[in-house]
Amino acid sequence: MLAPKNVSTVALQAFHSFSKVLKNFEFPGVHAVTSKTLFFHVGTVKTGSTSVQRVLWENRDNLLACGVAYPAVSEPRLDLPRFANADFLFQEDFDRAAARDALESAGAENLVISEEALWGKPHVMLDSVFEGFEKVIVTYVRNPADLVASWAAENAEPYNAMTNGLGNEVDGPLQIDLGLEEFTKRYNANFRKFLDSTDDMRRKGFRIVYRPFEKDQLVGGNVVLDLFDVIGMDPEQVPRLRNTWANKSRSRKFCDVSTYVWEYVKDTPNRARYSLRLVENVYNQTETGDDRAVIATMDDASIRKIVDDCAHIEERISRDYLEGRPLLQNPFPKVYSSDREPYAPVSERELEALCDKGLVEILMKEVAELKDLRRKMVAAFVEKERVVSERDHAIAERDHAIAERDHAIAERDHAIAERDHAIAERVHAIAERDHAIRYPWKYVSRAMSVRIGRKQSN
C-alpha cells in the first residue's frame, strides 16, 4: 500500500501542473514577471546626468559583461550630442511590444534607463511596458544654490535660448538674475510634483533611492561609480572609465556677454547673426566682467534665500526616505560664508564697442567665407566643364570607334557575300563538270551541232 502524500506535497504538485498549463496560454497586454531589475536614473538637472549617460553608452559592451545593460530602445541623439536612452517614452503610441523585447533581450540582469526628463514627467515610469520588472528610481540631489546657479548659466548660453516653458515674454537667452529667480521656482515646483509621484510609486512597489550629488559623499568621488554602487556592482569590477564631464557651466562673464549681445542685436537686421561664434568673439576680447562661476558671484544673502526656499525638498526626503537623516552634509555651496570679491559686471560701453567690432568681424568673415565659397564654386564649375569636355571627347571617340567598327562589319559582310558567291559559282562549275563526265555523249552531240551550225552560217 502506497504511503499517503501530505497536503503540502499535493499542493506543490498541483501548482507545478497549473504552471505548465498556464505556459500554453497567452494573455494580451499582460507581461510575465522577470528577474531583471530596471534602474531609472532620473537626474535631476545639473547632476552629471549627461556624463553618466555618455559613460553608459560608450562603455556598454564592457558593462554588459559585468551584468549591466544600457538598452537602446530608442537610439540616443549622438548628433546633439545626447546619450539618454528614454526618448521612446515621450513618443505618442510607441511600439510597446518592440520596446519590451528590447528590454527583455538586453542580456543583463540590471538595466539602466537614464533621462533627465523623467524628473519632470515621472508618470511615464508607470507605463505598462515596464510591468513585471523590479523597478528602482535613482535620483541625485545637489545643494539647491549650486544647482540653480548652474541651471541659470546653462540657459544664458546662445544655444539654450528659451522660449518654451517660460512664457512668450522670454525671448532669447535668460539673464542670470532672472534665471536665478525662474529656476528656483521651477526647481521647487518640479521637485514637489516629483516627490508626490515617487511617494505613489513606492506604494506600487518601486524602490526609491535618493543620493547626494556632492563629491565628498559620492562613492569614489564620482557620480558614475556611485550609480554603479547603487546598482550593486563592486567598484573593482567596473571597467576603467574616462572621467568625462559634459555640459560644464560657463562663467558669469560669459553669461553676461551672451545676454548683452542678444539684447544688442535682437531688434536689428543682425538678429540672425546672434550665435556662439559672435558671443565667443566678444567674450574673448572683453576685459571687464567677472570670470568666476555664477555661484561665486552671488552674495550670501542670495544664496541663503535659494537654500531656504528649497529647504522643504531635503526635509521631505530626509523624513520620508532616510529616517530623519540629512541627505546633504552641507546644504550650502562651498563659497558660502567665504571671503570673496563682490560681483563685477561687464562694462556696457566696452560691450557696445566690442559688439560693433564683433559684428564687423563676423561680417568680414562671412564675406571671406562667401568669397572662398565663390572661389570653390568657380573651381568646381571649371572642373565640371573639364570633366564634361573629357566626357564629350570620350563619347566622340567612342562614336568614331563604333562607326569604324560598323564599317569593318560592313566590309566583312561584303567579303562574306563575295566569298559565298564564289563558292556558289564553284559549286555550279563542279556540278557541270560532274554532269559532263557522267553524260559525255550529250556534250559531244551538242558540240557537233554547234560546229555544223557554224559551217552552215559560213
Side-chain angles (χ1 to χ4, degrees), residues 6 22 65 67 113 128 193 202 227 322 433 435:
N6 60 44
L22 283 179
I113 298 292
S128 61
K193 292 179 182 178
R202 181 167 60 169
L227 177 62
L322 301 176
R433 183 200 66 186
H435 188 268

Side-chain angles (χ1 to χ4, degrees), residues 185-238:
K185 294 177 182 177
R186 181 180 287 204
Y187 184 67
N188 273 308
N190 283 5
F191 226 129
R192 186 177 291 109
K193 292 179 182 178
F194 182 75
L195 285 166
D196 290 342
S197 297
T198 53
D199 286 349
D200 179 57
M201 290 178 183
R202 181 167 60 169
R203 289 189 288 270
K204 293 179 179 178
F206 284 68
R207 184 157 62 92
I208 312 299
V209 177
Y210 284 99
R211 293 288 300 146
F213 185 75
E214 181 61 46
K215 186 173 182 179
D216 295 339
Q217 293 182 256
L218 294 170
V219 173
N222 184 298
V223 67
V224 177
L225 295 178
D226 193 88
L227 177 62
F228 289 154
D229 181 70
V230 172
I231 293 172
M233 292 179 64
D234 184 344
E236 296 298 326
Q237 295 179 335
V238 177

Side-chain angles (χ1 to χ4, degrees), residues 30-40 69 71 73 88 96-113 125-137 201 204-207:
V30 178
H31 299 298
V33 176
T34 175
S35 62
K36 297 179 184 294
T37 301
L38 193 57
F39 291 86
F40 293 100
V73 179
F88 69 99
R96 283 172 171 77
R100 181 73 184 195
D101 289 341
L103 294 172
E104 291 184 343
S105 61
E109 291 300 304
N110 298 309
L111 283 62
V112 180
I113 298 292
M125 292 183 281
L126 292 169
D127 195 281
S128 61
V129 73
F130 302 125
E131 286 181 3
F133 287 95
E134 182 181 350
K135 295 176 278 289
V136 182
I137 298 176
M201 290 178 183
K204 293 179 179 178
F206 284 68
R207 184 157 62 92

Side-chain angles (χ1 to χ4, degrees), residues 269-316:
N270 289 313
R271 179 188 178 103
R273 291 189 172 87
Y274 177 74
S275 63
L276 180 61
R277 184 169 72 171
L278 176 59
V279 172
E280 287 184 335
N281 181 294
V282 175
Y283 166 75
N284 290 331
Q285 300 180 69
T286 303
E287 296 181 357
T288 60
D290 202 321
D291 233 346
R292 294 174 294 172
V294 172
I295 190 67
T297 66
M298 297 169 58
D299 58 42
D300 284 353
S302 300
I303 293 175
R304 175 169 283 281
K305 184 177 186 309
I306 294 175
V307 173
D308 290 344
D309 288 346
C310 301
H312 67 95
I313 295 171
E314 189 181 356
E315 290 172 359
R316 184 169 170 181

